[in-house]
Amino acid sequence: MRHPLSRSAVVVLVATSTACVGEMPPPPQITVTSPERGLVQGHAGQVVVKGVASPGVSGSPVTSVTVNRVPAMLAADGSFTAVVDVPPGAMLLETSAFSAEGGSVTDARAVQVGELRPVGTTIERAATAALSTDAFARLSAVAGPKVKSMDLMAKLAPLQPMANLGDDLANVKVSITKLTFGDVKISLAPVDGGLEFSATIDALNVAANAAYGGALVPDGTSSVGVTADRVTLAGTLVVTPAGTDGFSTAIASPTVRATSLRLQASGLAGKILDLLQDNLESTVQRVLTSSAEKALQPLINSAFGALAGPKRIDVLGKTLELQASPSAVQFTRTGALVTMNLGVKIAGSESSPGFVFTPNGTPSIDMNTGVQVGLADDLINELLAEVHALGLLDLHLEEDFGLFDTADIKLTVPPMVSANNSDGTMRLVLGDMIATFSEEGKTVISAALNAQVDLALLRGNTPEQIALKFGKVHAFVNVLDDETGMLGSDLSGAAAAGIGIQLDSLSQFLVTVPVPSVAGVTLDNLSLRADSGYVIASGSVH
């Protein structure tokens, strides 16, 4: 993919394989012969690192070699061997040689550990979220205006007629034709098994069509109406997973209290009027309960991050399809905990050999304060494998870099996020990118680029959204073939530019991953941590 040079992402080159910085002693030389670059290992365990270290231009002997700070066995001929532990996930093997006069050199290469699975695979328990009582209080504050703006008649259409009263002798079917009301105030509070729900509705006005008939009543129709100054509906909102439709909502044990409830039915008399009068309160309860259940379903889906069917998004000219299906939801008096299965697929990524899946544990999620969201790193890594398969991160850069005017960067393995780090940090590993630098079409140098990128949590495009952001980049450059004798440090500008462009592209895909959000809730004191294979984002409710 051809790109103009971009520096919108800040990349810090913190280590190179051959650079001399200031008055630092010249580095020794190092060649790692095993493992190969871009190693994908199917199981956690150990990796044997082998190679040869030798004096550099100063002739200072090599005194020690380490691999990720683990001392290697160094033989007299400079050959070395080290055995290092490799946990599930992605990591860099940093093999460093040190000379007697203080020079050092580092070879970096990537290792990915886990089971290879096909892209498009649904990730079970891919997302988990905890919402506190404070979060539901904020949701309650915005629920009333949202319900008032909904087209409830369209939602009620499949339920018509709303009432079917009477028997073969005299019966009437009531279908709602218009439903209006004034202010609506809604309260949602978590309790054991659901949400304690109440809605206060002012100026209720219902218009309906009554179709009547029976053995003792001639067939006919008439317009009727119901009004009330105020109606209060209360009950327990039961929320259950409904597959790819998100969540279903039902109000258990509903009760209705109405002030000045009135029936306008001037065209009716006798048994039909009696049927309507006798069943007025139960009919109003049925209409309001059904309306509330239909109105609250999209609010709950939004609050818990469900998509209610496939969602297709255009990103960088590619169609990304997300599919969410809730797997469990739990309510207590301290809050709610929801778990979802998620699948992600980018059109055209079928050629991918797969993504590295790592087993996840059960993250620690606190329902007591604010909102916490956990995303399995497998979901992000599946997306990254698809981006890699499409070649969207392979770059062709053209600019005057001094000794060369063109840089081509190709990823040998997909980028990978690891959320299993023992220190609770999150990082993205860009492993073993092969960069070729040319001048007027002739290759002058090639190098392997590796980078570890810190992840941070910032506000999204709106105050209600959160987004993963890339932080400091720790990059390594290892020269593979050099016809110029130039130093690896001279490649830092082009390497930083290439990695910056890749992160710009990745950020546009990562922000499309669905995360639960609560309408009307602004999160402060944002934090990010890794826990049992999950990216855990936390924030306090504002």
Side-chain angles (χ1 to χ4, degrees):
M1 181 175 291
R2 184 178 297 270
H3 288 269
L5 192 60
S6 168
R7 292 189 175 87
S8 59
V10 177
V11 182
V12 179
L13 195 71
V14 297
T16 64
S17 63
T18 60
C20 296
V21 181
E23 299 300 321
M24 291 292 292
Q29 296 180 354
I30 189 171
T31 301
V32 176
T33 57
S34 177
E36 71 275 13
R37 293 193 177 277
L39 172 66
V40 178
Q41 182 166 294
H43 57 85
Q46 295 180 323
V47 166
V48 178
V49 181
K50 296 181 178 181
V52 177
S54 58
V57 294
S58 69
S60 179
V62 176
T63 57
S64 64
V65 175
T66 63
V67 181
N68 291 5
R69 299 184 179 181
V70 175
M73 295 179 59
L74 179 61
D77 62 357
S79 61
F80 62 85
T81 302
V83 179
V84 295
D85 294 328
V86 287
M91 64 181 296
L92 294 182
L93 293 176
E94 300 173 25
T95 304
S96 300
F98 303 90
S99 68
E101 63 183 6
S104 64
V105 61
T106 297
D107 174 281
R109 55 190 61 205
V111 177
Q112 297 183 350
V113 179
E115 175 190 351
L116 201 62
R117 291 190 177 183
V119 296
T121 301
T122 296
I123 306 298
E124 296 183 358
R125 299 188 301 117
T128 183
L131 281 72
S132 67
T133 54
D134 290 340
F136 281 105
R138 294 294 298 169
L139 177 61
S140 299
V142 300
K146 284 186 173 292
V147 169
K148 190 174 180 179
S149 66
M150 290 181 180
D151 183 1
L152 291 179
M153 289 304 303
K155 295 182 179 296
L156 292 177
L159 305 179
Q160 302 278 24
M162 296 300 299
N164 194 342
L165 309 174
D167 51 28
D168 292 341
L169 298 179
N171 58 77
V172 59
K173 296 179 180 179
V174 180
S175 298
I176 306 301
T177 57
K178 188 175 182 180
L179 175 62
T180 62
F181 40 80
D183 289 338
V184 180
K185 294 182 180 179
I186 291 177
S187 173
L188 294 167
V191 294
D192 293 341
L195 291 169
E196 188 177 74
F197 165 77
S198 68
T200 301
I201 304 166
D202 291 336
L204 176 68
N205 192 331
V206 181
N209 179 69
Y212 52 86
L216 302 180
V217 177
D219 294 346
T221 61
S222 179
S223 296
V224 298
V226 176
T227 61
D229 293 344
R230 172 169 289 184
V231 178
T232 300
L233 171 65
T236 299
L237 184 67
V238 179
V239 181
T240 54
T244 56
D245 290 331
F247 296 91
S248 63
T249 53
I251 299 175
S253 304
T255 60
V256 171
R257 298 176 60 185
T259 302
S260 301
L261 182 64
R262 298 173 292 272
L263 171 67
Q264 293 89 38
S266 58
L268 297 175
K271 291 185 176 295
I272 299 302
L273 181 59
D274 291 341
L275 280 173
L276 290 177
Q277 290 281 19
D278 293 344
N279 294 277
L280 180 58
E281 289 189 3
S282 63
T283 300
V284 170
Q285 176 175 299
R286 186 179 301 111
V287 170
L288 293 182
T289 300
S290 298
S291 299
E293 290 172 346
K294 291 294 185 180
L296 290 171
Q297 183 178 13
L299 291 179
I300 294 297
N301 279 338
S302 174
F304 288 163
L307 302 177
K311 184 176 182 180
R312 293 174 177 85
I313 305 169
D314 183 75
V315 184
L316 296 180
K318 303 295 180 180
T319 300
L320 185 151
E321 181 176 303
L322 300 169
Q323 182 71 73
S325 58
S327 59
V329 60
Q330 174 188 354
F331 292 94
T332 69
R333 293 191 176 275
T334 59
L337 182 67
V338 60
T339 304
M340 288 188 296
N341 303 328
L342 290 170
V344 58
K345 187 67 175 292
I346 304 175
S349 64
E350 294 80 7
S351 62
S352 170
F355 70 100
V356 175
F357 174 87
T358 58
N360 296 326
T362 301
S364 175
I365 300 289
D366 184 8
M367 290 189 290
N368 290 298
T369 57
V371 175
Q372 290 195 348
V373 178
L375 280 178
D377 55 8
D378 295 313
L379 178 70
I380 301 174
N381 291 330
E382 182 177 22
L383 177 62
L384 294 176
E386 294 171 4
V387 172
H388 173 254
L390 292 169
L392 296 178
L393 301 180
D394 295 338
L395 305 179
H396 178 80
L397 307 177
E398 295 181 358
E399 186 173 287
D400 183 5
F401 292 101
L403 294 178
F404 49 89
D405 56 19
T406 303
D408 290 281
I409 301 176
K410 185 176 180 62
L411 275 73
T412 60
V413 292
M416 191 170 173
V417 167
S418 285
N420 276 314
N421 303 313
S422 58
D423 58 0
T425 58
M426 282 290 310
R427 63 180 62 97
L428 169 74
V429 175
L430 292 164
D432 289 315
M433 301 171 282
I434 303 302
T436 303
F437 303 93
S438 306
E439 174 69 18
E440 296 182 352
K442 181 182 178 181
T443 299
V444 295
I445 191 170
S446 61
L449 310 181
N450 284 274
Q452 291 188 145
V453 187
D454 296 336
L455 293 180
L457 188 66
L458 299 174
R459 293 196 186 282
N461 296 326
T462 72
E464 300 172 1
Q465 295 178 344
I466 55 177
L468 288 175
K469 299 292 184 181
F470 297 116
K472 187 176 181 180
V473 179
H474 304 260
F476 298 81
V477 178
N478 291 108
V479 174
L480 302 176
D481 185 20
D482 184 5
E483 298 184 5
T484 67
M486 66 185 293
L487 296 176
S489 59
D490 295 331
L491 304 178
S492 60
I499 294 172
I501 292 173
Q502 289 169 332
L503 295 181
D504 286 345
S505 298
L506 281 176
S507 64
Q508 297 185 56
F509 282 95
L510 290 182
V511 296
T512 64
V513 176
V515 296
S517 60
V518 180
V521 172
T522 300
L523 297 179
D524 291 328
N525 303 318
L526 297 175
S527 63
L528 188 71
R529 62 182 173 88
D531 185 352
S532 305
Y534 285 81
V535 182
I536 307 295
S538 304
S540 58
V541 174
H542 176 67

